[in-house]
Amino acid sequence: MADCEVLSIAPGQLKLVGSITFETATDIELQGRELLIKQVGSCTVDLAELEDGGSAALSVLLSWMRQAHHLSISLSMINMPIDLYDLARVGGLDSVLPIQIQAP
């Protein structure tokens, strides 16, 4: 899958589907911000269908964390692919991002 999209699957639940690249990261970040504004209290982002992301995906997730903080929303990320988790760990972001890795 070449593109990525952010889906609102239920109140308080978002899902990332596809691949985030440096070319698409800005659009994905904006889509997520617009959806976060509509959330109340808490929001979970499911990353199980994120196929590829690398540092572009981490950048988007960090931006969403800042936005959620400003909106007083508790943000959590579930089913993070192991390769993205490893990248976050190497960069020291595993202790910053509220993440759970994907079960094998």
Side-chain angles (χ1 to χ4, degrees):
M1 181 178 284
D3 295 331
C4 189
E5 60 183 330
V6 186
L7 305 172
S8 179
I9 56 175
Q13 295 180 348
L14 303 179
K15 178 187 278 193
L16 264 173
V17 178
S19 295
I20 297 178
T21 65
F22 288 110
E23 292 78 22
T24 62
T26 301
D27 290 337
I28 296 303
E29 191 274 339
L30 182 58
Q31 286 178 35
R33 279 179 172 262
E34 290 172 355
L35 291 170
L36 281 172
I37 289 170
K38 299 173 185 176
Q39 307 303 312
V40 177
S42 66
C43 182
T44 299
V45 180
D46 189 345
L47 305 172
E49 295 183 44
L50 181 63
E51 295 176 7
D52 189 25
S55 58
L58 289 178
S59 177
V60 168
L61 297 175
L62 285 169
S63 178
W64 289 355
M65 281 203 50
R66 282 191 303 272
Q67 176 74 7
H69 177 75
H70 290 297
L71 296 169
S72 298
I73 295 170
S74 172
L75 187 66
S76 61
M77 297 160 198
I78 61 170
N79 300 319
M80 179 176 274
I82 193 70
D83 58 337
L84 188 58
Y85 176 78
D86 286 343
L87 183 61
R89 189 174 46 79
V90 167
L93 297 174
D94 58 325
S95 62
V96 175
L97 291 169
I99 53 179
Q100 298 175 16
I101 61 170
Q102 205 171 40

